[in-house]
Amino acid sequence: MAKKQKIKLHSVKGMHDTLPSEQFIWDKLRKEIKNTAEAYSFSRIDTPILENLSLFERGIGEETDIVEKQMFVLPSSGGERMVLRPEGTSAIARAYIQHGLSRVSQPLKVYQEGPFFRHENPQAGRYRQFHQAGFEIIGGENDPIYDVQIIMVVMRLLRNLKLKNLSIHINSIGCKTCRTIYKKKLLKYYKNRKKQICNDCNKRMLKNPLRLLDCKDDKCQEIKKGAPSVIDDLCSFCSKHLRDVLEYVEELKIPYQIDPSIVRGLDYYNGTVFEVFSEVKSPEGEIVLSPALGGGGRYNYLFNALGKGGTYAVGAALGLERIIETMKATGVNVPIIKKKSVFLITIGAEAKKKGIVLLEDLIKTGVNIKESMGKNSLSAQLRAADKKGATWALILGQKEVFKESIILRNLKTGSQETIFLKNVLAKIKKKL
Ligand code: HAM
């Protein structure tokens, strides 16, 4: 008989459980995402977790880190191979084309929120399953006003979450015309420094030169500082587009800086690209930038790649784990809202029978009622009531069942009264 494999009783590397005790912060986040999105007229869209591999190969680009190294590809049983979605924008673009959403009022403003998957090396702020809230404006005009509307919604959400010292790093990576000229300049600069850069960057020179500016290796960081800036090579259209975006950002008094090293890891962008950071204290007490809380930009080229050229689009996504970590690191307090509750205690078999019906009746009418009816003794149930933080207890014993009554005890003061069962709902509603 084949030897049984030992069960690993921990979650998969880079993927985490969210325990009941942590749900309140996620609830707060999801509520804020919904409220902010709706305030800025974004409607919710949901796409499946699984998509066809070719969507991302075409959309994000075959020579990006995500497609080359980070996709969870499912074994295929004939037909096209499927992947766990590594990002949301390509899937939303697919849905826009598939459902003919260009026929509704343009531009279409949509948001989504959910889990995404990338096979990365897990470390603080970088996971294999993580959550994003994404905002997209698709269709309509190629107008910088939409680029800034995306920046607005993202910043408003972060500010509503009480995150401070936020700053947007903005760049433009131009269009195909100006980017081609820039790439040549960049390659010329790096060709003379081949020996000083990391192996990955040597590969990037051949495959995806813009990503040279994205490298986090210490020695490459130094080289990067002297690299030519794409902004100097923007064509007149791209240059004006960026200027307009910056003017709107200034009008809105959003703190920003132009950062030529922001190039983004996905091929579909053109023009405006940006990332949002917060200033946080390092363990050594220095003020440093958080990992990017979010990023985005204009991605008109995604629609070219998917066969619907001429569709303009801009968007951004925020990383929810990073937001929560930054909230914790900067001391943002999310109060747990505790609703007053009543705890039902039953003693004896008859009381349990009557109690289960009472429990159902009270839940039906919206009373915040808790119980631990599997426990038999009064003291064990009182301890459970205390743990759950209940304010009131309803105690049903044999005597009460017989007299069609119930004891209502204030768990804070210990005072109690006996009331008729038929009056319990009205009484409890008054107390809570
Ligand atoms: P992205 O920069 O790849 O962009 O991801 C957006 C945000 O998701 C990041 O800034 C980060 O906060 C979070 N994030 C990404 N990877 C991880 C990870 N492995 N672990 C934890 N958090 C992570 C996009 O995904 C684009 N689709 C954004 C976009 C929307 N562009 C246009 N529209």
Side-chain angles (χ1 to χ4, degrees), residues 177-321:
T177 315
C178 40
R179 211 184 297 171
T180 311
I181 299 168
Y182 173 68
K183 273 187 196 165
K184 277 190 192 147
K185 259 195 191 172
L186 190 67
L187 279 175
K188 195 168 161 210
Y189 171 83
Y190 271 92
K191 251 180 202 151
N192 301 327
R193 293 162 178 85
K194 263 181 165 175
K195 292 207 176 94
Q196 298 159 49
I197 56 177
C198 69
N199 286 343
D200 277 351
C201 276
N202 270 293
K203 284 185 206 147
R204 286 180 186 128
M205 282 182 68
L206 300 173
K207 290 182 171 177
N208 202 343
L210 268 191
R211 302 286 329 272
L212 286 161
L213 300 174
D214 221 8
C215 185
K216 303 286 179 287
D217 188 289
D218 283 345
K219 53 181 187 284
C220 298
Q221 296 272 25
E222 273 310 302
I223 307 277
K224 211 165 75 176
K225 284 182 191 157
S229 163
V230 60
I231 289 180
D232 299 334
D233 284 308
L234 293 181
C235 64
S236 56
F237 180 86
C238 291
S239 173
K240 178 166 180 349
H241 201 279
L242 175 63
R243 252 196 337 269
D244 289 349
V245 171
L246 297 180
E247 267 176 28
Y248 291 130
V249 169
E250 276 172 24
E251 282 295 316
L252 289 162
K253 300 194 171 43
I254 294 173
Y256 77 94
Q257 66 185 76
I258 295 176
D259 183 345
S261 75
I262 302 286
V263 285
R264 313 281 298 135
L266 309 108
D267 274 0
Y268 51 56
Y269 292 111
N270 67 291
T272 319
V273 283
F274 62 87
E275 287 182 0
V276 195
F277 300 89
S278 162
E279 281 178 359
V280 290
K281 240 189 200 163
S282 74
E284 295 76 35
E286 281 171 59
I287 301 291
V288 291
L289 283 186
S290 66
L293 300 180
R298 181 157 280 285
Y299 55 92
N300 302 344
Y301 289 154
L302 177 57
F303 287 88
N304 291 6
L306 301 183
K308 197 162 166 62
T311 306
Y312 304 126
V314 58
L318 292 170
L320 305 191
E321 281 79 3

Side-chain angles (χ1 to χ4, degrees), residues 58-208:
R58 289 274 188 86
I60 301 174
E62 285 187 67
E63 273 142 24
T64 54
D65 281 357
I66 296 182
V67 169
E68 270 190 346
K69 310 184 218 162
Q70 297 173 352
M71 298 248 263
F72 283 97
V73 184
L74 271 60
S76 75
S77 52
E80 178 150 10
R81 301 187 82 183
M82 285 184 288
V83 292
L84 297 182
R85 58 183 188 180
E87 61 104 38
T89 311
S90 307
I92 291 181
R94 192 255 318 127
Y96 180 90
I97 299 169
Q98 179 181 340
H99 301 288
L101 296 180
S102 59
R103 290 195 293 270
V104 301
S105 161
Q106 301 291 295
L108 179 77
K109 294 185 179 180
V110 285
Y111 80 99
Q112 68 173 342
E113 172 265 303
F116 294 86
F117 306 84
R118 293 185 193 171
H119 196 276
E120 303 213 54
N121 250 347
Q123 50 186 280
R126 194 169 290 286
Y127 310 107
R128 290 186 175 175
Q129 178 177 328
F130 57 98
H131 295 76
Q132 283 187 346
F135 300 86
E136 317 289 350
I137 302 182
I138 306 175
E141 303 73 24
N142 196 16
D143 196 308
I145 200 77
Y146 296 129
D147 303 42
V148 87
Q149 285 183 10
I150 287 291
I151 293 175
M152 278 164 77
V153 69
V154 160
M155 290 300 273
R156 172 57 45 216
L157 176 53
L158 295 173
R159 284 172 171 167
N160 285 353
L161 289 166
K162 307 272 183 295
L163 283 168
K164 295 211 175 72
N165 305 321
L166 298 166
S167 147
I168 283 225
H169 288 214
I170 304 183
N171 191 21
S172 169
I173 52 168
C175 60
K176 279 193 177 132
T177 315
C178 40
R179 211 184 297 171
T180 311
I181 299 168
Y182 173 68
K183 273 187 196 165
K184 277 190 192 147
K185 259 195 191 172
L186 190 67
L187 279 175
K188 195 168 161 210
Y189 171 83
Y190 271 92
K191 251 180 202 151
N192 301 327
R193 293 162 178 85
K194 263 181 165 175
K195 292 207 176 94
Q196 298 159 49
I197 56 177
C198 69
N199 286 343
D200 277 351
C201 276
N202 270 293
K203 284 185 206 147
R204 286 180 186 128
M205 282 182 68
L206 300 173
K207 290 182 171 177
N208 202 343

Side-chain angles (χ1 to χ4, degrees), residues 347-352 396-403:
I347 305 149
E350 283 308 309
K352 233 182 200 177
L396 196 59
Q398 296 294 85
K399 194 170 108 196
E400 287 72 31
V401 171
F402 181 69
K403 291 191 168 167

